[in-house]
Amino acid sequence: MAAQKDMQDLLRLLTTGRNKIPMLAAMQRVKALQSANLRRSSLLLHSTAPTPLLTARSISDIAAIDLPSLTTALSTDEKTAKSLLAACKANLKSGPSTPGKRSASDTVSSTSAKRPKSAYELSQEPQTPAELEASLSLPQPSADEEAISKCAVVTNRAPLVLAFAVQLLKYTMPEQPLSGRLSLAQAVVSANSRSKAVSIGIEKGKGAEEEGWGAGQPKVRILGREVSVLKRSGYEWKEEEKDKKVLDHVGEAGEHSTAASEGTLKEEPDSGTVKLEEESQAAASIGWTVSSPVTVKKSTFVARSITITSPADATSALQTLLSENKELREASHNISAWRVQGPHGILESSNDDGESGGGRHILGLMQADNIIGVLLVVTRWYGGIMLGTDRWRLMSMVSRDAISQRLRIAGVVGQDALWGLDLEGMKKTNSAVTGSGMPIHRPEGARTYIMKAFGSPEVEGTGKKKKSGVALDREREENLGLLLGALDMLYKSWDGHVSREELDRKAWGWYVQVRPDVAGGVAGWGGKGEVKLSDILKLRRKE
């Protein structure tokens, strides 16, 4: 138990206070400290003798480590290590020996029963899916229309976008668990915030998305904005409910039903054929999807993909594409590959069009991802400089971009639980190159943010007596329940009357109509205003 408390103290120190870091990063630092053999500070020992080795398992252990050893163990800069060392020493000084003070372990013990668990157990073992989803629970959306209509909240714009997106995804992507909805919603908020920061001059230069860090990743559209996602293949959990709901959605391509309650990630046993047919029909109506162009050393690559059902379709589609696009006919190469389902197996073919090995390369990409029923064309304009093997990477990049767009639009991505990718984090850590794992928007942070974002307006004549922290938290939680209830009533009124795509488009317009008024430009950055929930109810579909 002592070791467990030591770790709790250390994690709490790392994730709170002035220099707090995310829980996942804190876990990684603790692991690094526990696995390193560190040298105890000779100053602490008041000795010039060789200093003994130490394994850091607690705050007191870290306080006894010399700065160079700590810097090396954390693989960070000296300033960060020095800050941690100072925080550990300060924590020891304000420990239980000081009257009126409570130790970090006392605080953790007294609040653990009230606070949801983090996404990771303190033993560094991940929670089960059911435990993770339970730890992220939000207030139950209120069904009290009278209470909702009387409620007003004070907030800034970002958490309101988050609330709009979290509830919207229950209707546009009902297969997503709460953890996924929070992560995807946070991705939208982060992208919107960066766009706003650039527009008002707070941030300058190209963002990660503009620099192509999301290239090749699947994307989904939420509140009119495309966000890059990461599939959580194999993530399944089932929440037992007394009353299972059947969400009927009428799409532009026809009517279909999805039997699913919120948080259920399990396909119906007989639904596979139906879903494949729906995906095929949706994909067939898309036409060509085109990747973002990539230019390196004056050579430019662009990929296109289109749905086909036979070898004749592939030939016809390629001929039509080239005949209707003069710039493609004038390109150096139009490399192509296709795969279709034949009566006795897969039929496939490729064409280098002068780029030796190019056709086989992109066909191999399709084989690796089991892409069937698609013609892929990669166009290259040669810039006069040999690229060597780098051309294979560029072909792969644009190919995956074009194909991922087709999968996203056809709805194939929606069958998996998803994380929202943190492209700015990916850029900072260079994770796509180093292979250290793709940064995601953690649902825990989104939940914490939304739980504390919706206060109540000040009421005149109530005096200057301040509410306690507990009372404020309770008030914000109740307000969030009323806000989620208002959004549920809004989305339900339109659900089944418009397609999911149309509902997504409408949702952004609704947000714009009710968002708080703040000053323009830099002066309004992070500014708060009042939102009347009755204004949300007025947007419901009228019978």
Side-chain angles (χ1 to χ4, degrees), residues 183-220:
S183 176
L184 293 170
Q186 185 59 52
V188 176
V189 171
S190 296
N192 281 343
S193 296
R194 171 163 178 81
S195 295
K196 180 66 176 178
V198 171
S199 69
I200 62 178
I202 293 178
E203 293 188 20
K204 297 181 180 180
K206 290 184 177 180
E209 186 173 9
E210 296 171 288
E211 292 183 1
W213 283 90
Q217 287 300 129
K219 295 181 180 180
V220 295

Side-chain angles (χ1 to χ4, degrees), residues 352-542:
D352 293 344
D353 192 32
E355 180 68 83
S356 181
R360 291 192 302 274
H361 178 73
I362 64 174
L363 178 61
L365 296 176
M366 298 176 70
Q367 292 169 338
D369 292 336
N370 196 28
I371 303 298
I372 302 172
V374 170
L375 165 64
L376 177 64
V377 180
V378 176
T379 303
R380 179 184 182 183
W381 288 267
Y382 180 58
I385 301 175
M386 300 289 286
L387 297 180
T389 57
D390 200 33
R391 68 188 189 278
W392 305 126
R393 178 182 65 83
L394 300 172
M395 286 184 200
S396 299
M397 182 184 298
V398 295
S399 295
R400 292 196 172 104
D401 189 1
I403 290 176
S404 68
Q405 289 185 51
R406 175 158 306 281
L407 296 179
R408 169 180 53 77
I409 298 171
V412 178
V413 167
Q415 305 306 316
D416 288 297
L418 305 172
W419 288 128
L421 273 177
D422 182 0
L423 299 184
E424 295 298 327
M426 186 184 297
K427 176 183 175 181
K428 290 176 181 176
T429 60
N430 205 25
S431 61
V433 176
T434 64
S436 59
M438 292 186 174
I440 62 169
H441 290 285
R442 294 300 312 175
E444 301 86 1
R447 179 188 184 276
T448 300
Y449 186 37
I450 200 173
M451 289 289 287
K452 296 183 177 296
F454 301 101
S456 295
E458 291 185 7
V459 180
E460 294 183 6
T462 57
K464 297 184 178 180
K465 184 178 179 181
K466 291 185 178 180
K467 296 180 181 179
S468 68
V470 173
L472 285 173
D473 286 344
R474 187 182 301 114
E475 181 180 87
R476 292 169 183 148
E477 184 174 330
E478 290 174 356
N479 288 344
L480 177 56
L482 292 168
L483 172 60
L484 297 180
L487 291 171
D488 256 354
M489 291 180 183
L490 170 60
Y491 293 139
K492 282 179 182 176
S493 72
W494 290 92
D495 182 41
H497 297 279
V498 296
S499 67
R500 296 182 184 180
E501 293 76 13
E502 181 65 19
L503 183 61
D504 185 272
R505 285 193 291 269
K506 285 180 174 293
W508 177 255
W510 294 331
Y511 157 74
V512 171
Q513 290 184 59
V514 304
R515 66 188 179 186
D517 291 327
V518 297
V522 178
W525 181 256
K528 292 187 177 183
E530 186 173 299
V531 177
K532 295 180 179 179
L533 302 193
S534 58
D535 290 340
I536 295 177
L537 296 181
K538 292 175 184 177
L539 298 170
R540 288 179 293 180
R541 180 179 177 273
K542 296 176 174 59

Side-chain angles (χ1 to χ4, degrees), residues 74-123:
L74 293 175
S75 300
T76 186
D77 56 89
E78 183 175 312
K79 182 178 178 181
T80 301
K82 190 174 183 179
S83 176
L84 175 59
L85 192 60
C88 289
K89 291 179 179 179
N91 181 274
L92 292 179
K93 290 181 180 179
S94 61
S97 59
T98 304
K101 296 284 185 178
R102 299 170 65 191
S103 70
S105 60
D106 291 338
T107 305
V108 170
S109 299
S110 64
T111 59
S112 60
K114 300 177 183 179
R115 190 176 56 210
K117 293 180 180 179
S118 69
Y120 295 86
E121 297 286 1
L122 294 178
S123 62

Side-chain angles (χ1 to χ4, degrees), residues 329-347:
R329 295 196 302 271
E330 294 175 349
S332 306
H333 311 284
N334 285 292
I335 309 147
S336 60
W338 56 263
R339 303 182 80 220
V340 296
Q341 181 66 54
H344 305 294
I346 302 296
L347 301 176

